[in-house]
Amino acid sequence: MPPPQTATPLAILSRFLSSPSPPPLPELLRVHALAVTLGLSPRPDLAAKLVSAYSSAGRPGLAALAASATPRPDAFLWNSLIRAHHCASDFAVALAAHRRMLASGARPSRFTAPLAASAAAELGALGVGTSVHAYCVRCGLLDGDGGSVAVASSLVYMYARCGVVGDAVKVFEEMPERDVVAWTAVVSGCVRNGECAEGLRYLVEMVRLADDGGTKPNSRTMESGLEACGVLGELNSGRCLHGYVVKIGVGDSPLVTSALFSMYSKCHSTEDARILFPELLEKDVVSWTSLIGAYCRRGLIREAIESFQEMEESGMQPDEVLVSCLLAGLGNNGNVHGGKEFHAVITKRNFEDSVLTGNALISMYGKFELVDIACRVFRSLHRQDAESWNLMIVGYCKAGCDVKCLELYRELQFRDKDEFLCYASSLVSAISSCSRLEELRLGRSAHCYAIKHLLDDNLSVANVLIGMYGRSGKFYHACKIFALAKLKGDVVTWNALICSYAHLGHSNFALSLYDQMLTGGLKPNLATLITAISACANLAALERGEQIHSYVKEMGWESDVSISTALVDMYAKCGQLGIARKIFDSMLQRDVVAWNVMISGYGMHGEPKQALELFDEMERGSVKPNSVTFLAILSACCHSGFVEEGRKLFSRMGRYSLEPNLKHYACMVDILGKSGHLQEAEDMILAMPVEPDGGVWGTLLSACKVHDNFEMGLRIAKKAFASDPGNDGYYILMSNSYGSVKKWDEIEKLREMMKNHGVEKGVGWSAVDNCG
């Protein structure tokens, strides 16, 4: 039997060139070595075959080595080399080879352009991409059949990936034929660049044409369409696409399933997201976060926590984003107990050291108004960013801790100024606190900071500055800021100035601004109308109030509790108790303010029986009276001399754990004093748990004058003078009392006292002067 013949090197190389599939790497290296040994490696066809084989083996470096052996590579070899680097994701190297190809004079083909455009897209190299587009036009690569569709599709993808979606759409619209790659490129490009509605429109057009025999979308196309629905919150469109992916048979694709889950989560369709979740092949932290986030947004905290526990049981460890998401849900839900429990859990897992988690904790406790705990978290952070400071400052402001808010704001100012600047919301909180504390000097300092750092152009900052200056009576500054802000401002800007005028009792100016606002075509909101109605109440401007009431009816806002309460107050102060009571009775909900306003209205107009009946009705209901309620009902008793009822009501405050303040005591002293129970009134003042002020003593002094009790009046007057030596009313009362018993010397002494305390001589002295 003759021995087998050994294949010659040329036979080996010939078989390699004709083989459709590349050999294993060891054999490939042997073939390459043979080619070099035989001096055949410069052959372009052999070099191209080696480049392609090395590319398939994932060895782009050896592919480049094989290509470099050819002194004059042709277009096919260049394309093979560019493709090798592209497949290895060496896009910069691929573009470098593309550049050398063009420099060598080789003509780019319909295989070259898509590779170069795609590499430029991945690198965001718009300049290279446009040059590819230019030679495609020059060389006619976009004309005719064949590869022109692939070339145009790659240009659409390149422009979209580089953020020039307008040019991508333009290239797409000029394509005579479009394959699924082109459609997917334009849909995904629009969505990626924020043009979700436009991307969805192209997908709908593609689906319509597919029904007429056109190209059907694939899983990538549907993924982008579903993403657009999620961003836009288009749940109905998303459901339609869900049905369509099932119809065309791509519903089982992991890519589509993930996109459907994401879409339902973003559209707050929690139940659909929950149903799809088990179908996800890979449940990573992102998918768990989407599900838990969907539950949190719907306020389903129990389900969110259960999902968190299920995730941990599956062996998946949460990250900072997931923990922060759950903390935000607990904060929005007001779940204080659950929030503290979860805080304990993440402390054990050492998540609290993270700035992201720490900020979420500060935000959560800020929403609970547990600012002391929020501050402990803030101080415990190893590193605080601008968000940490902002959350803490805003938290203090919202909780009404204005002094602490300003202290933290000032601390922020003294930090390293190059580290980070104050947020606009922090500045708004600081200025709001200055306004409430009437700290105009600090407010002006914050205003200077805003100007220096160009934050005064922020509308929220401008609005709060208007409010601060207006409430301080600095209307020149408030109006100056208002004049600049109102051009781009909204109803909040107008409200800031209107409320400022109303707050300081300038009701006419407030209504005038309200009229200007309407003339300018800006619609008032609830806050504007409440302020305008209150201004009408203060002016007893019934006709204006009725006009605003008509507007409220027209807008359908009459059922709002605050609006209805303001209307009750306005009609009551304008003497229209019947209308006020009719509105009050029609209210579906009544808070304590509404009850107080109606009771006060009856008392103001000398209708104590109705006030007492309404108070009894309030006690029988679910709304508990507060200290303002008792002041209103005691005032009603005072105006009508209902002594016994006043005594009972005053003692009833303890039933609601309410401590009487100076105003309540002054009201009771007035009730007792006017009815002649002077000694009881004095005993009550002496037994007060708080130091009586001049107003309380002055009320009893007036009663002494009414009942001609000169001896007690003299005793009470000394206490009134000691409490408030600058009040000319006390001197007038005593001078009249001395005049009635003809004690002219005492009147002269009163005059000397007034002079010593710098009290101006009042109009009540004229009669005494004439007697003298």
Side-chain angles (χ1 to χ4, degrees), residues 276-287:
L276 273 170
F277 187 71
E279 297 183 21
L280 296 176
L281 291 182
E282 293 185 9
K283 299 180 181 68
D284 56 8
V285 177
V286 175
S287 57

Side-chain angles (χ1 to χ4, degrees), residues 117-135:
S118 176
E122 298 302 328
L123 296 173
L126 180 61
V128 176
T130 53
S131 69
V132 172
H133 190 179
Y135 75 61

Side-chain angles (χ1 to χ4, degrees), residues 78 84 105 114 163 187 217 241 289 480 529 590 601:
W78 280 115
V187 172
L241 291 183
T289 303
K480 193 172 181 181
L529 293 169
R590 301 177 196 137

Side-chain angles (χ1 to χ4, degrees), residues 143-387:
D143 302 328
D145 301 326
S148 62
V149 176
V151 174
S153 298
S154 68
L155 292 174
V156 173
Y157 175 76
M158 181 273 297
Y159 280 121
R161 194 64 186 264
C162 291
V164 193
V165 70
D167 288 343
V169 167
K170 189 175 180 181
V171 173
F172 178 81
E173 293 291 352
E174 290 174 354
M175 292 177 67
E177 293 181 37
R178 299 159 184 166
D179 61 4
V180 68
V181 177
W183 282 103
T184 303
V186 76
V187 172
S188 63
C190 288
V191 174
R192 186 184 296 115
N193 287 280
E195 301 288 342
C196 293
E198 190 70 2
L200 206 54
R201 185 183 70 79
Y202 276 115
L203 179 58
V204 171
E205 184 183 348
M206 182 184 185
V207 169
R208 181 178 57 78
L209 292 173
D211 291 339
D212 295 334
T215 304
K216 289 183 179 180
N218 61 16
S219 57
R220 290 283 181 188
T221 326
M222 298 310 299
E223 179 195 23
S224 297
L226 290 166
E227 183 183 347
C229 292
V231 172
L232 296 170
E234 287 283 352
L235 180 59
N236 290 335
S237 299
R239 289 189 193 280
C240 290
L241 291 183
H242 190 173
Y244 186 75
V245 297
V246 173
K247 177 183 175 182
I248 63 175
V250 297
D252 294 334
S253 163
L255 203 65
V256 173
T257 304
S258 179
L260 281 167
F261 170 75
S262 177
M263 181 273 294
Y264 282 125
S265 298
K266 289 176 182 176
C267 291
H268 311 309
S269 183
T270 313
E271 186 60 25
D272 289 309
R274 185 191 64 77
I275 293 170
L276 273 170
F277 187 71
E279 297 183 21
L280 296 176
L281 291 182
E282 293 185 9
K283 299 180 181 68
D284 56 8
V285 177
V286 175
S287 57
W288 280 105
T289 303
S290 296
L291 180 65
I292 292 171
Y295 281 134
C296 288
R297 284 190 295 272
R298 287 283 305 278
L300 304 172
I301 297 302
R302 183 174 60 81
E303 289 83 351
I305 292 173
E306 287 174 356
S307 297
F308 179 81
Q309 292 169 342
E310 184 183 342
M311 181 196 72
E312 288 195 309
E313 289 169 3
S314 71
M316 184 73 65
Q317 291 299 313
D319 63 2
E320 299 168 353
V321 176
L322 176 53
V323 169
S324 302
C325 178
L326 194 48
L327 286 170
L330 289 162
N332 293 332
N333 193 252
N335 191 332
V336 179
H337 180 70
K340 287 182 175 180
E341 279 190 339
F342 192 62
H343 186 182
V345 169
I346 62 178
T347 299
K348 290 178 183 177
R349 311 281 179 82
N350 294 322
F351 275 111
E352 199 176 12
D353 293 336
S354 155
V355 176
L356 184 63
T357 306
N359 289 348
L361 283 167
I362 295 168
S363 176
M364 180 186 74
Y365 284 120
K367 290 169 184 173
F368 296 156
E369 294 194 3
L370 297 175
V371 287
D372 290 337
I373 302 177
C375 186
R376 285 203 296 271
V377 175
F378 173 76
R379 295 298 181 188
S380 69
L381 289 176
H382 297 306
R383 185 176 64 85
Q384 298 149 342
D385 60 6
E387 181 71 11

